[in-house]
Amino acid sequence: KAGVTQTPRYLIKTRGQQVTLSCSPISGHRSVSWYQQTPGQGLQFLFEYFSETQRNKGNFPGRFSGRQFSNSRSEMNVSTLELGDSALYLCASSLEDSYGYTFGSGTRLTVV
Amino acid sequence: GQQLNQSPQSMFIQEGEDVSMNCTSSSIFNTWLWYKQDPGEGPVLLIALYKAGELTSNGRLTAQFGITRKDSFLNISASIPSDVGIYFCAGHSGGYQKVTFGTGTKLQVIP
C-alpha cells in the first residue's frame, strides 16, 4: 500500500512569504503529526491532528498552523517566513492509539 | 518539558563491529521507539517497545525498554555499510501526549 506522501519535496521561498505543505497519510491512518527537523534542534514536534481536530501542539509561534481534511490529508502553513524556518518538515501518520509512526520523505524548505 | 538525551552523538565503527547506543529521559515513558533515518528520507521505525524490561529483536538489532521506564538501549550486531544513518530514540507517555524524539546518533561504518 502507498506510504505517506509529502508534496512538494523541495521548496525555496523568500523571507516574508508564506508556504503551504501537504501530507497524504497511509490509507486508514487517521492521525497525522508534523515535525520540524533542523541539524541543531533535531526533530521538533509541531502538531498532531486526528479526525480533523488538533489534539496536540508543540511550542512553535502562531505563524505555524495546520489543518486536516475529512479524508485525513493534512496541510501545514507557515506565514511570514523567516530564515530560521529553513528545515526539513516531516509528516507522519499512524493508526489510532498507535505511535509507531510512518514518516513521509519530507519537504525541504529553504528560506532566502 | 520532556527531554530525551541520546548518546553517543556520533560514532565511527569498523564493519563487523557491534554498536550500542542509549537514550535517557527526565520522565517516564510508556512506549519507547527506535527509528533510523537515511539521508534525504524520513525516519523509519525499527523497533517498538511497550513494557518495562522488554527486550525485542529485529534481525541484527536488539532494543530494550529500561526497568525504570526512563531509558532504552539499542544494539546493532555485526555492523554492515548499510547501517550508516542517524538513529533516533523516541518516547511516548500515553494518551494524547506527543511523541518526543531524541537528538539522534549518527553512525558511520568504515568498510
Side-chain angles (χ1 to χ4, degrees), chain A residues 69-87:
Chain A
F69 302 94
S70 58
N71 62 359
S72 293
R73 191 177 71 85
S74 178
E75 289 182 345
M76 67 163 281
N77 185 78
V78 188
S79 62
T80 320
L81 284 165
E82 300 176 359
L83 294 179
D85 296 333
S86 295

Side-chain angles (χ1 to χ4, degrees), chain A residues 46-47 54 57-66 77-80:
Chain A
L46 281 155
F47 23 67
Q54 187 182 86
K57 190 177 191 305
N59 296 323
F60 278 82
R63 300 184 296 109
F64 291 80
S65 62
N77 185 78
V78 188
S79 62
T80 320

Side-chain angles (χ1 to χ4, degrees), chain A residues 35-39 41-44 88 90 103, chain B residues 4-9 21-23 32-39 41-47 61 63 72-74 76 85-91 99-107:
Chain A
Y35 285 82
Q36 181 196 65
Q37 186 176 25
T38 57
Q41 297 296 318
L43 280 153
Q44 299 293 312
L88 180 67
L90 290 161
F103 280 89
Chain B
L4 287 184
N5 298 309
Q6 196 170 342
S7 66
Q9 281 189 321
M21 57 191 80
N22 68 77
C23 206
W32 280 96
L33 307 159
W34 285 92
Y35 287 85
K36 182 194 176 201
Q37 186 176 28
D38 291 326
E41 298 296 328
V44 173
L45 181 65
L46 298 173
I47 293 178
L61 278 60
S72 181
F73 307 87
L74 176 70
I76 305 173
I86 302 177
Y87 291 80
F88 291 98
C89 63
V99 174
T100 301
F101 282 81
T103 48
T105 293
K106 186 172 183 179
L107 177 64

Side-chain angles (χ1 to χ4, degrees), chain B residues 1 4-6 12-13 16 22 28 47 50 56 58-59 62-63 69 77 85 92 94 97 101 107:
Chain B
L4 287 184
N5 298 309
Q6 196 170 342
F12 286 82
I13 59 168
N22 68 77
I28 288 171
I47 293 178
Y50 300 104
T56 296
N58 178 6
T62 301
R69 293 164 63 195
S77 62
H92 184 258
Q97 295 300 311
F101 282 81
L107 177 64

Side-chain angles (χ1 to χ4, degrees), chain A residues 6-19:
Chain A
Q6 289 188 248
T7 56
R9 282 299 303 270
Y10 302 94
L11 207 47
I12 299 176
K13 290 285 189 178
T14 305
R15 267 183 305 177
Q17 286 186 314
Q18 75 161 14
V19 67

